[in-house]
């Protein structure tokens, strides 16, 4: 059964899957099925692919590989995609910090807490990159450190440690639909159009760890 969390006081628009720290894109829409009504003007969903050091993984292992992708997802910005600022690149060689198709700009957020940020989001369907401005919560990582501040502690706020659940399962079973990302983690951000599109988007995204050329953009100052 699919769990739908309705947002009061808004016109119901498209729905998106909302999830946090899912270890495999194959699980999106299967084991993790919570959806949210995104409200007026939202016609896109988002997928955030973070590259995490396994040695710091909450309830993880010390085995290889040293890094592993985890996925976060939710609604897109409250503006139609046709009105989003689009990054226009006529020649990849003329823009050294832009990577051609099958690779995406890397966004990295230094500061934690609840704040507005900017990021670049790649649309696989039309090979376009958009500049996104949005509000998000950023948790300290690795999770489960009792010294983290309350507004920087995903596990503490959702009581995942008390429930003895992984961050992904804990978020799935909670009433939270807020966008949670992690500070200090490198993200590749994807955007798509249409109902529950970030379920299929998860299967179309492949993270190539070996030989990946990272281009870091610290959006913390935005």
């Amino acid at each position: 059964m699919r769990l739908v969390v309705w947002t009061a006081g808004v016109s119901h628009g498209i729905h998106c899957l909302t999830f946090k720290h899912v270890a495999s894109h194959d699980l999106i829409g299967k084991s993790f099925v919570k959806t949210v009504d995104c409200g007026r003007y939202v016609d896109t969903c988002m997928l955030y692919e973070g590259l995490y050091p396994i040695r710091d993984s909450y309830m993880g292992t010390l085995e290889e590989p040293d890094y592993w992708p985890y996925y976060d997802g939710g609604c897109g910005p409250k503006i139609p995609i046709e009105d989003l600022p689009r990054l226009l690149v006529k020649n990849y060689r003329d823009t050294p910090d832009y990577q051609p198709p099958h690779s995406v700009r890397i966004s990295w957020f230094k500061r934690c807490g609840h704040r507005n940020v900017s990021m670049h989001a790649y649309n696989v369907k039309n090979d376009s990159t958009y500049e996104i401005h949005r509000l998000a919560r950023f948790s300290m990582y690795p999770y489960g450190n009792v010294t983290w501040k309350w507004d920087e502690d995903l596990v503490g706020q959702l009581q995942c440690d008390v429930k003895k659940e992984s961050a992904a399962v804990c978020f799935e079973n909670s009433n939270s639909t807020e966008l949670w990302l992690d500070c200090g983690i490198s993200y590749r951000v994807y955007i798509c159009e249409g109902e529950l599109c970030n379920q299929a988007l998860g299967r179309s995204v492949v993270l190539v760890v070996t030989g990946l050329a990272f281009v870091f953009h610290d959006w913390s100052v935005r």
Side-chain angles (χ1 to χ4, degrees), residues 5-191:
V5 181
W6 299 101
T7 304
V10 298
S11 300
H12 299 311
I14 69 166
H15 299 81
C16 295
L17 289 170
T18 178
F19 47 90
K20 172 62 186 166
H21 208 62
V22 175
S24 171
H25 55 74
D26 292 332
L27 300 175
I28 300 171
K30 297 179 181 178
S31 299
F32 300 94
V33 297
K34 182 162 66 172
T35 66
V36 59
D37 188 301
C38 296
R40 297 180 62 186
Y41 309 120
V42 179
D43 59 5
T44 57
C45 300
M46 306 286 291
L47 182 139
Y48 305 84
E49 182 183 51
L51 190 61
Y52 289 79
I54 292 298
R55 64 181 182 276
D56 293 334
S57 180
Y58 175 64
M59 298 181 70
T61 70
L62 297 176
E63 298 177 358
E64 295 291 339
D66 293 332
Y67 295 89
W68 193 259
Y70 284 81
Y71 300 91
D72 307 330
C75 296
K78 296 183 182 298
I79 180 173
I81 192 170
E82 62 183 14
D83 295 329
L84 288 174
R86 186 170 173 176
L87 185 65
L88 299 178
V89 179
K90 296 181 179 179
N91 189 327
Y92 294 138
R93 295 181 180 179
D94 293 337
T95 311
D97 64 347
Y98 185 84
Q99 298 181 53
H102 311 302
S103 192
V104 186
R105 286 188 172 213
I106 300 295
S107 293
W108 185 77
F109 307 94
K110 181 179 180 180
R111 291 174 24 227
C112 304
H114 193 209
R115 56 196 184 80
N116 285 294
V117 295
S118 300
M119 62 187 72
H120 285 135
Y122 180 68
N123 188 332
V124 176
K125 185 177 180 180
N126 65 4
D127 186 26
S128 297
T129 299
Y130 300 87
E131 186 169 352
I132 306 295
H133 305 274
R134 63 175 317 148
L135 184 67
R137 291 189 180 276
F138 289 85
S139 176
M140 294 290 290
Y141 190 89
Y143 305 135
N145 190 320
V146 295
T147 65
W148 298 152
K149 296 179 181 178
W150 174 251
D151 65 343
E152 300 175 354
D153 183 10
L154 167 71
V155 169
Q157 285 202 28
L158 300 184
Q159 297 186 313
C160 306
D161 48 350
V162 175
K163 301 172 185 176
K164 300 186 183 303
E165 294 177 335
S166 68
V169 172
C170 184
F171 183 85
E172 177 77 6
N173 293 336
S174 74
N175 291 325
S176 177
T177 58
E178 288 187 284
L179 173 62
W180 274 95
L181 300 175
D182 298 320
C183 48
I185 296 296
S186 302
Y187 282 96
R188 298 204 296 182
V189 184
Y190 297 86
I191 189 170

